[in-house]
Amino acid sequence: MPPPALVPPKPPAVSGFRVSAQPQIYRAEFEGGYSQRSRKGPGNVARRGTLSWVNLSAAERDALMGFFEARGGSEAFTYQLPGHDAAQLWTAPAWSYAPSRSGLKWDVSADLTEEKDIL
C-alpha cells in the first residue's frame, strides 16, 4: 500500500523555509593526519527541513495536526516541497502550533526528515 500524501489546506509559508542536507559517511583516521572516507550507502544524504503554515482556521489547524499525530512521527508520507518537481518520502518527528500574530488564526510548524524507504 502506498504511503499517505500530505495535502495541507494551503501552501506553507516560503519565507524562512530552509532544507538542510548532511551526508552520512564512514571515516577512518590514520597516523600522520590522513583519513579515508566512504558513503554510508547510496542514499547517504540526510535532508531535513521545517515548514510553517500561517493564518490557518481552527479546522485547518486541526486537520494538519491530526495528519501528523496519526503518523506518530514514525509513519512516512509523501509531500512535494515548494519549488521541487516531485514528491519525496518524509516523516515528521516534531510539530507544533501557536496563535498567529492576529490572535484570531493559527500557525502550524512541522520538522520534516527525508526517508529512503524501499516502497
Side-chain angles (χ1 to χ4, degrees):
M1 183 155 86
L6 171 60
V7 182
K10 60 174 66 172
V14 183
S15 174
F17 169 68
R18 165 176 274 176
V19 173
S20 62
Q22 181 176 3
Q24 298 175 3
I25 61 170
Y26 294 107
R27 183 181 197 95
E29 302 285 338
F30 302 103
E31 290 183 32
Y34 296 99
S35 65
Q36 185 176 16
R37 296 147 315 281
S38 64
R39 296 176 183 204
K40 288 185 177 180
N44 74 309
V45 178
R47 290 180 177 80
R48 292 179 176 82
T50 300
L51 293 176
S52 296
W53 292 269
V54 297
N55 294 320
L56 300 176
S57 69
E60 291 171 327
R61 173 206 63 199
D62 291 346
L64 204 47
M65 295 298 290
F67 179 86
F68 294 129
E69 289 172 9
R71 311 282 87 68
S74 65
E75 183 184 341
F77 55 89
T78 59
Y79 182 67
Q80 184 173 334
L81 292 175
H84 286 71
D85 295 333
Q88 290 101 2
L89 199 58
W90 301 92
T91 54
W95 56 90
S96 62
Y97 68 92
S100 64
R101 291 184 190 180
S102 70
L104 303 174
K105 297 280 186 169
W106 297 92
D107 296 344
V108 172
S109 181
D111 297 333
L112 302 183
T113 301
E114 187 179 25
E115 301 297 342
K116 310 287 188 190
D117 297 5
I118 297 173
L119 300 175

